[in-house]
Amino acid sequence: MSAEEKYRDIIDKSWDSDPDFFIRHPRMSLEDRAKIFAPFAALRGHGDRLQEETGKLLRIPRVELSEEETELLSDRLSRIQKGMDITVTYFEPDHCEGDMGYYLELSGIVRGIDPVSRVIRIEVDDADEKGALIKMIRFADLAAIDGGNEIFARCFNECT
């Protein structure tokens, strides 16, 4: 049976010809109708996550640390040992030696400190790549250092 044969009795019927039509099928309010056509989030929380990530990467000028902050950072840096689990906040310039850039946070295991080159090497477990990634961060770009393990945290608490 074709669709035309199946619905022959109502195909040519006008919607307003039946006086009981609106009683059986009341009109939808504009508010309820608008809800049908409102956009929906296919990935719940995705917009919030994007906004959060975008906020983390706002391009801002480099902040100069105060003398006390520099001393505290230097003290913490002197207490770091190879193999420690730490989290650092550092400045990533847009261009070489630029004053505009991004403040990023990195957690990993210290693989070495080079006082001559003034860099710290941190091993980061990168799930996208095979093995680990070693990130070199200049001392001048460091903004904060926090310890991940209890001994390091206790050491930080004693000196602050």
Side-chain angles (χ1 to χ4, degrees):
M1 174 184 267
S2 71
E4 190 173 324
E5 291 171 353
K6 187 175 181 182
Y7 298 106
R8 184 177 307 218
D9 59 332
I10 62 170
I11 282 179
D12 295 323
K13 192 173 183 179
S14 172
W15 62 269
D16 61 348
S17 66
D18 183 3
D20 296 329
F21 179 80
F22 289 115
I23 294 171
R24 285 180 284 140
H25 305 284
R27 286 216 145 191
M28 185 180 289
S29 71
L30 287 177
E31 184 179 305
D32 290 339
R33 187 169 170 76
K35 288 178 187 175
I36 294 173
F37 297 103
F40 70 98
L43 299 171
R44 185 176 28 211
H46 182 68
D48 294 337
R49 181 73 174 149
L50 279 176
Q51 191 173 21
E52 180 183 310
E53 287 298 320
T54 305
K56 285 182 184 175
L57 295 176
L58 288 178
R59 190 170 171 260
I60 58 174
R62 181 190 298 263
V63 176
E64 294 298 323
L65 299 176
S66 69
E67 203 171 303
E68 294 91 27
E69 292 170 327
T70 305
E71 282 181 32
L72 179 63
L73 194 61
S74 178
D75 185 52
R76 288 186 174 189
L77 194 56
S78 69
R79 296 173 187 264
I80 292 175
Q81 295 175 4
K82 189 175 179 179
M84 283 184 162
D85 188 18
I86 65 168
T87 299
V88 296
T89 303
Y90 65 100
F91 183 76
E92 182 81 31
D94 262 352
H95 306 290
C96 291
E97 300 302 320
D99 285 337
M100 294 295 287
Y102 311 97
Y103 278 93
L104 303 171
E105 193 172 272
L106 179 74
S107 295
I109 298 169
V110 177
R111 288 297 166 220
I113 298 174
D114 188 350
V116 176
S117 300
R118 300 185 51 78
V119 294
I120 182 171
R121 290 187 305 278
I122 300 174
E123 181 180 319
V124 183
D125 184 25
D126 194 355
D128 295 342
E129 301 288 327
K130 293 180 181 175
L133 173 74
I134 296 190
K135 174 78 176 169
M136 293 177 63
I137 302 170
R138 298 178 334 154
F139 291 176
D141 293 333
L142 288 171
I145 302 172
D146 293 310
N149 60 25
E150 288 181 28
I151 297 168
F152 199 49
R154 202 173 329 118
C155 172
F156 279 166
N157 290 334
E158 289 171 5
C159 70
T160 56

